[in-house]
Amino acid sequence: MKKKRHSMILKLIAQFDIATQEELLEKLRENGFDATQATVSRDIKEMRIVKAQDIKGIYRYIYPKNGKISLEKDL
């Protein structure tokens, strides 16, 4: 279940401008994952997801690819 949740988190932060753990938790629940805020917080730390300002000036969660942060939204 954890691997599936991590995979969904990556998909969600690539698809949406998610700026808070609460937003991420809501999107996970919309996609059938029953998680808590504490679980999401641990996942973010474990996955080394960071919050950064994208090219639009919006702070959102971003997953570093190959050790580098891409500030362009994945399409």
Side-chain angles (χ1 to χ4, degrees):
M1 185 69 156
K2 184 178 184 179
K3 285 184 179 185
K4 288 182 180 181
R5 188 178 62 247
H6 282 194
S7 178
M8 180 57 68
I9 288 171
L10 293 177
K11 288 178 186 178
L12 291 171
I13 65 174
Q15 185 176 4
F16 300 100
D17 292 332
I18 298 177
T20 67
Q21 291 180 8
E22 291 79 18
E23 290 175 30
L24 181 54
L25 182 58
E26 181 180 327
K27 292 289 186 189
L28 282 169
R29 288 180 177 162
E30 288 173 6
N31 285 276
F33 290 86
D34 186 27
T36 65
Q37 187 275 329
T39 299
V40 170
S41 180
R42 282 191 298 272
D43 288 342
I44 288 169
K45 288 178 186 176
E46 184 176 316
M47 297 171 71
R48 298 183 182 189
I49 292 172
V50 297
K51 191 180 279 191
Q53 191 174 21
D54 67 13
I55 60 174
K56 296 177 189 175
I58 299 169
Y59 282 92
R60 64 184 184 95
Y61 286 115
I62 296 172
Y63 181 73
K65 296 177 184 175
N66 300 323
K68 296 181 182 179
I69 296 173
S70 172
L71 297 178
E72 292 187 32
K73 189 169 179 150
D74 296 330
L75 298 177

